[in-house]
Amino acid sequence: DAGVTQSPTHLIKTRGQQVTLRCSPKSGHDTVSWYQQALGQGPQFIFQYYEEEERQRGNFPDRFSGHQFPNYSSELNVNALLLGDSALYLCASSSGLWNTDTQYFGPGTRLTVL
Amino acid sequence: GENVEQHPSTLSVQEGDSAVIKCTYSDSASNYFPWYKQELGKRPQLIIDIRSNVGEKKDQRIAVTLNKTAKHFSLHITETQPEDSAVYFCAASNRDYKLSFGAGTTVTVRA
């Protein structure tokens, strides 16, 4: 039974570029949440996808967008990259019915913006 | 929105001693409180969680207590071992589905 997977592992981009990160949820899960973790800080909620719709969004600009596919996998897109977007991007999957459902994290994608 | 504060930011304990990490939250509607352990370069892993209908939960050497009135919850690790060294994050969730995390506690267990 595969856990949460993410790709790529590492990514280096320059300011102004666009990036797409991918996440496959744990088997049996239908909900994907995305978090940004800056160095030395706790994860910050970006948004959550359920039934291919954005169900909840954190305090991130609309440069951050996402998508969920019918197989429940998800993408995070970031446009017009800034130096401050450098971080570890984590996705978490859950069964999604209740907010009390456990969220399981993937290994993350380390994004560096130069 | 929810605001979670976590203390201390660093904690050094002698192997075999206990470690306690405390978190407070602001939103009285929060009803789910997980704790994650993150080793260097690894993903956050759930170690224990508690829901607001329970005051205490224990799993071997790890326990979590919740005081809804005071809006705080704590992680207790007994008989610490070197493999307990990591960053620990508390989090809280209300009915808006997102997890709000504390800033983390770096725990070092001295042999």
Side-chain angles (χ1 to χ4, degrees), chain B:
Chain B
E2 175 67 276
N3 182 47
V4 178
E5 295 191 355
Q6 182 172 348
H7 299 281
S9 58
T10 61
L11 182 60
S12 179
V13 296
Q14 191 70 35
E15 182 177 358
D17 287 350
S18 295
V20 180
I21 304 170
K22 299 182 179 181
C23 290
T24 61
Y25 61 98
S26 60
D27 188 347
S28 57
S30 289
N31 62 348
Y32 177 59
F33 307 91
W35 286 87
Y36 287 86
K37 174 184 179 182
Q38 187 174 31
E39 297 178 42
L40 194 62
K42 300 284 185 66
R43 74 186 74 193
Q45 291 201 304
L46 180 78
I47 55 172
I48 196 167
D49 58 9
I50 192 166
R51 292 163 176 81
S52 61
N53 58 341
V54 175
E56 184 173 359
K57 183 177 178 181
K58 188 174 181 180
D59 182 4
Q60 298 183 333
R61 297 186 297 109
I62 294 174
V64 57
T65 58
L66 171 64
N67 183 327
K68 289 176 59 181
T69 303
K71 292 190 283 188
H72 67 70
F73 57 113
S74 301
L75 177 72
H76 304 253
I77 306 173
T78 59
E79 301 172 15
T80 53
Q81 300 169 5
E83 53 264 38
D84 295 328
S85 295
V87 180
Y88 291 80
F89 292 98
C90 63
S93 174
N94 59 25
R95 287 166 180 80
D96 67 359
Y97 297 99
K98 71 177 186 181
L99 288 176
S100 297
F101 283 84
T105 297
T106 300
V107 174
T108 303
V109 179
R110 307 186 309 272

Side-chain angles (χ1 to χ4, degrees), chain A residues 1 3 8 16 19-20 23 27 38 40-41 43 51-52 55-56 65 72 75 78 82-83 86 90 96 100 105 111:
Chain A
D1 179 24
V19 68
T20 298
C23 173
S27 178
Q41 298 182 23
E51 293 188 343
E52 301 181 53
R55 175 159 69 176
Q56 187 69 27
S65 63
Y72 308 123
E75 289 182 348
V78 187
L82 304 174
L83 295 180
S86 294
L90 296 161
T100 56
F105 282 87
L111 173 64

Side-chain angles (χ1 to χ4, degrees), chain A residues 9-114:
Chain A
T9 305
H10 295 88
L11 207 50
I12 299 175
K13 293 285 187 179
T14 56
R15 282 177 297 173
Q17 285 190 311
Q18 178 265 344
V19 68
T20 298
L21 311 181
R22 295 176 176 83
C23 173
S24 290
K26 184 178 168 69
S27 178
H29 286 176
D30 58 7
T31 300
V32 173
S33 303
W34 287 93
Y35 293 83
Q36 180 195 67
Q37 186 177 26
L39 203 61
Q41 298 182 23
Q44 297 292 315
F45 177 79
I46 302 174
F47 42 54
Q48 183 182 88
Y49 277 84
Y50 173 68
E51 293 188 343
E52 301 181 53
E53 297 283 336
E54 184 184 287
R55 175 159 69 176
Q56 187 69 27
R57 188 178 183 92
N59 295 324
F60 279 80
D62 57 11
R63 298 187 297 110
F64 290 76
S65 63
H67 188 78
Q68 185 178 36
F69 299 93
N71 67 352
Y72 308 123
S73 66
S74 177
E75 289 182 348
L76 164 66
N77 301 292
V78 187
N79 294 324
L81 285 167
L82 304 174
L83 295 180
D85 294 332
S86 294
L88 180 67
Y89 288 84
L90 296 161
C91 79
S93 77
S94 58
S95 65
L97 192 59
W98 308 106
N99 72 299
T100 56
D101 294 326
T102 299
Q103 294 190 24
Y104 295 89
F105 282 87
T109 294
R110 173 72 63 186
L111 173 64
T112 302
V113 182
L114 302 176

